[in-house]
Amino acid sequence: MMMQSIRQRGFTLIKVMLLSSVASVVVFAAFKDTLVQERLSGNYQKDLNARLLAEKGVIERGQALKAAITNNANLTLEQAVQQIGAGLGTGELDGTSYDAQLSVNGDEVSIASLGQRYDDQAHARMVSYFKYTPAERSSVFQNAVTGCKGVNLAGSGLVDSYDSTVGSYEDTRTSNGDVNTVIGDADVVLNGHSPIMGDVKASGILYLKGSSPVVGTVQSNTGIDISAGSGVRVDGDVLTQGFVKHNGGQITGILRANGDVSMKWGAEILNQNQAELDIMYGGTGSFQSSHVQDGLHYSADRFNVNPEVEAVRVYDPSSPDYDPNDPDKECDPLALPLNMPSVIDSNNNYADFTVGAQTDYVFTPSEGRYIRGGSGTWSSSPADIYLFQHLTQNHGQSNTSEYVFGMKNMKLTSDGTITIEGGDVIWLVDGDLKMTGHTSITIKAGSSLAIFVTGKVDFGASGVVLTEQEGLTDSGFPSLSIFSSYSGQNGITMRGASSMYAVIYAPVTSIAMRGSGQFYGTIRGATIDATGGSGVHFDEALKNFNLGNGGVITPAKLEFMGWRFESGDEYQTPDEEED
């Protein structure tokens, strides 16, 4: 019995040992499996981190590129890529990094980003594709005359257009000398003998009082008043959301008015393009017995139908600081008075600057110097220019620096002369600019002068501004441009008898044209009052003159097209991602 018991205990011990061995094998197998799983999870985490870092590089470079093309509409795609650089970066965790590189092929942008964790232990390369659509722009300078709050042309000067890129005014004269107002209820008054070769658009009432015709379409939001007279008064169509008073003369096109229409004896609608109806009006009509079409009187129901004439736009949609509660700002799509403090520091130490007593002075982009008269050398005060962001300003760090010239008041008098040569010169005038006596400013061919002024500008009767080459320089600037933030009356006055080429932008002050000299270029002010014989000849080349972000209709766009990982994943489009 004892031996049997011993055998049973021995067999039991063997079974326990076998079970323990099996359990140990199971435990070790489970431990090994757990270790493998842990390593797989670690590797997956590293791969995931690498992918996330690759995505981070794409996102950061894409956002930087989008910001560059949004903040400066003047940049080309290549310039924007050059501005932000290749985009090397370091991840947020230790042992991580990403390297994002941009490349451009036409309007296509690719961003290749390599994300790494612990150097080569885990890496992923992501390539994303974008399509670039450039900004749609329209130059601020589209018309011969823009008087935001009103235009009064009472002289005898002709308003028309030409193209300096094609030839001289005499060789390229065209009929695109448009006149318009911007702010609501701003009137246009055409008096005297001022023929307009272009369209006239008034946000208020358009008064045709002179004897010369408008060769183009006339349009108004409030009404059109044609004074008594004979001959052609409007060589085009008459369109208004309001009334029409046609007191005499001929309209060669058609008449469309949402409001009332009255026509006196001698008033005619010729309808030379043979539209179905001479006239349509939505209000009441007052006509003479001779006012008929095909034997049907204008008072008939066929004509008494509201034509739903579209409104003249009373704001600039590109204005960066549009405020519906303050429409006066809408004369200023460049937001000049708002930005002028960033151009001319109100705490500057500029000094008055005078050229006179038969003194000759020369300005170049890098220096100003006396060549006759005067004493010593007057130095410039460098500053940044917000409208000319792509113009290098090195602040005197090298001999090739380009300066801007700051002065408190600028006066040219007593047979003094100024010459601009060697490139693009910029004046900052924190005060008034005045030319008196027999003085002159000569802008050499290939050079330009841009003037930013906070005070009044007065070109005297004997002052001469001569541009040897009209239009835009090779660098894209008008030969002469004046930007005024002055907000009082008569901020700019032109009295001279000599011709002048310029871009004048004075959105919050009135502009008075009192001389008999011809004006070439474009003019924009709060109000325009021309009482002399000075004609305005719009240079259509200025439609290509863009400043800063002014005139942007549709911003540039960077559209995501798809992505792929170089580890073998298939290319995915945004639509496939959603599916």
Side-chain angles (χ1 to χ4, degrees), residues 191-358:
N191 210 338
H193 307 284
S194 301
I196 309 297
M197 307 295 291
D199 297 338
V200 179
K201 296 182 179 182
S203 54
I205 300 175
L206 171 57
Y207 294 94
L208 302 182
K209 297 183 177 182
S211 58
S212 296
V214 173
V215 182
T217 297
V218 297
Q219 186 176 357
S220 166
N221 287 349
T222 306
I224 297 176
D225 189 338
I226 304 174
S227 65
S230 60
V232 175
R233 307 301 301 281
V234 178
D235 193 1
D237 297 334
V238 173
L239 311 173
T240 179
Q241 286 197 318
F243 67 86
V244 172
K245 294 180 180 180
H246 188 7
N247 296 308
Q250 298 171 338
I251 298 171
T252 65
I254 57 175
L255 189 155
R256 299 289 185 264
N258 294 354
D260 300 338
V261 175
S262 65
M263 295 180 62
K264 302 296 185 181
W265 290 105
E268 297 181 80
I269 303 173
L270 301 183
N271 191 3
Q272 290 180 344
N273 292 325
Q274 300 299 309
E276 182 179 357
L277 299 176
D278 291 351
I279 183 173
M280 292 178 66
Y281 57 97
T284 60
S286 175
F287 308 101
Q288 308 304 315
S289 59
S290 60
H291 295 143
V292 296
Q293 180 181 4
D294 299 330
L296 189 63
H297 195 258
Y298 286 167
S299 60
D301 291 343
R302 184 185 183 192
F303 303 104
N304 193 192
V305 177
N306 192 330
E308 303 294 342
V309 173
E310 292 185 0
V312 173
R313 273 190 154 176
V314 296
Y315 65 91
D316 285 316
S318 59
S319 176
D321 64 333
Y322 172 60
D323 183 353
N325 298 318
D326 188 5
D328 285 9
K329 290 183 180 179
E330 295 316 304
C331 186
D332 183 24
L334 298 180
L336 181 64
L338 178 67
N339 286 291
M340 190 63 93
S342 68
V343 179
I344 300 178
D345 186 352
S346 59
N347 295 319
N348 65 74
N349 58 356
Y350 298 157
D352 290 343
F353 181 63
T354 300
V355 174
Q358 298 183 346

